[in-house]
Amino acid sequence: MNELNQAQLLELVNTKQIAQGNPRVRALTQRIVTDLFKTIDEMDVTPDEFWKAVDWLTRLGQTGQFGLITAGLGFDRLIDIRLDEADEKAGRAAGTPRAIEGPLFVAGAPTTQVETRLDEGEPKGEIFVMEGQVLDTDGQPVANAMMDVWHANEVGGYSHFFPGMKPYELRRRIETDAQGNYRFRSFLPPGYGIPPNSPTAELFEALGRHGKRPAHIHFLVVAPGLRTLTTQVNIPGDTYIDDDFAFATRDGLIIELENDVAPAGYESLGITAPFTRSRFNFVMQKALNEDETSPAARMARVTANA
Ligand code: DHB
Ligand code: FE
């Protein structure tokens, strides 16, 4: 019993049980452990390699960077592709394409009706307004949709994660009016890069990969009876638009920019000189059940009942 070969050990690990536990967790763990045993044996993983990986995972967790790795290794996009495939099969692929939430959402941003300014104080770049309507797939305006908007600052940092930024800087919630209208003022964000000298950076250096994302703006749109839409738009012209570290850019989500728009009608956003504008409508699917209308972002969904 105490002398085990690899196959006997694996069998033991996968079959030990004193209570029912969670059958789904059991099945997934068995599969992953089996695959890892196989990887270690076939790739002849040395003890130092194994413990180095454990150290790296420990530091990854301590720095809260697991969500950066999942994006960079394609898992976030994989989950979206699988949802798209399911929609396609069910004949309900419609509306604005989904795009990954990313690891940097923060709930509870300040809320305003219809329009807001995401940035504060002196403009940090080109003055930019994005505006449009939230619509359903029948083309009807969605009143009282709640839209979370968030993006990086002028050096690619997100508030609550990047040191020195104010709470909720460049994060706002906008509630649409009866016509589904929203608009916000900000500046055009630059691209983003994974934090240097971090466990995430170590992995991507070892993989010989860059950790850059093209300039983008995130959205989480929630409305009664409609399927929660998590998406991003990309700003055209970015070097990394077709080479995103997180594999998240999509056709249909690259906005068009209008330059030198006259300021008339934008005074309430403090605009008095020509600026850059983008018009974009968000189109939401009908929800098939309550769960699809959930306002919770990805981590809040899974930690609520933990
Ligand atoms: C990551 C960062 C982002 O801003 C984003 O939108 C997606 C992924 C990341 O660091 O993994
Ligand atoms: Fe992002």
Side-chain angles (χ1 to χ4, degrees), residues 104 158 213 216 218 232:
L104 306 174
Y158 283 84
R213 296 214 58 215
H216 62 280
H218 294 268
Q232 308 182 8

Side-chain angles (χ1 to χ4, degrees), residues 6-193:
Q6 291 193 39
Q8 288 165 331
L9 173 63
L10 179 62
E11 176 72 11
L12 268 182
V13 172
N14 281 344
T15 55
K16 283 259 182 196
Q17 189 163 26
I18 56 158
Q20 197 197 1
N22 178 322
R24 179 70 172 162
V25 172
R26 280 188 64 83
L28 289 169
T29 303
Q30 283 168 8
R31 171 61 181 265
I32 292 165
V33 169
T34 302
D35 289 349
L36 264 181
F37 269 48
K38 200 169 161 191
T39 302
I40 289 167
D41 196 41
E42 291 181 2
M43 305 284 289
D44 202 14
V45 171
T46 67
D48 282 355
E49 283 177 327
F50 182 81
W51 296 115
K52 197 171 173 184
V54 172
D55 171 64
W56 178 79
L57 285 165
T58 304
R59 290 185 292 110
L60 190 67
Q62 283 164 347
T63 49
Q65 292 186 355
F66 261 110
L68 280 59
I69 296 299
T70 62
L73 294 181
F75 291 102
D76 299 22
R77 182 64 193 272
L78 172 68
I79 285 166
D80 276 356
I81 290 171
R82 286 177 40 78
L83 287 170
D84 288 349
E85 285 173 357
D87 282 2
E88 200 69 54
K89 240 187 192 162
R92 65 187 299 227
T96 301
R98 56 170 61 83
I100 71 168
E101 180 184 307
L104 306 174
F105 173 76
V106 179
T111 304
T112 46
Q113 310 290 316
V114 195
E115 69 171 31
T116 192
R117 201 176 152 177
L118 263 67
D119 62 335
E120 290 162 45
E122 282 303 300
K124 302 274 175 26
E126 210 173 317
I127 294 178
F128 170 64
V129 171
M130 184 162 162
E131 64 183 2
Q133 283 171 291
V134 178
L135 303 168
D136 66 20
T137 45
D138 295 331
Q140 295 301 310
V142 181
N144 309 114
M146 191 63 85
M147 173 189 283
D148 263 282
V149 190
W150 69 106
H151 70 70
N153 76 358
E154 65 279 9
V155 293
Y158 283 84
S159 59
H160 299 243
F161 298 93
F162 187 80
M165 292 179 71
K166 294 194 194 118
Y168 294 110
E169 192 174 340
L170 304 173
R171 300 175 186 274
R172 290 292 182 272
R173 295 210 296 172
I174 306 166
E175 189 176 352
T176 59
D177 66 11
Q179 285 74 48
N181 289 309
Y182 77 90
R183 73 176 185 180
F184 64 87
R185 168 182 169 174
S186 196
F187 56 86
L188 281 171
Y192 159 95

Side-chain angles (χ1 to χ4, degrees), residues 189-233:
Y192 159 95
I194 53 172
N197 308 313
S198 65
T200 302
E202 282 172 41
L203 177 66
F204 285 89
E205 272 159 32
L207 293 174
R209 281 184 54 187
H210 71 68
K212 307 281 192 204
R213 296 214 58 215
H216 62 280
I217 303 173
H218 294 268
F219 298 88
L220 174 66
V221 196
V222 178
L226 298 173
R227 190 180 197 185
T228 299
L229 173 67
T230 304
T231 195
Q232 308 182 8
V233 298

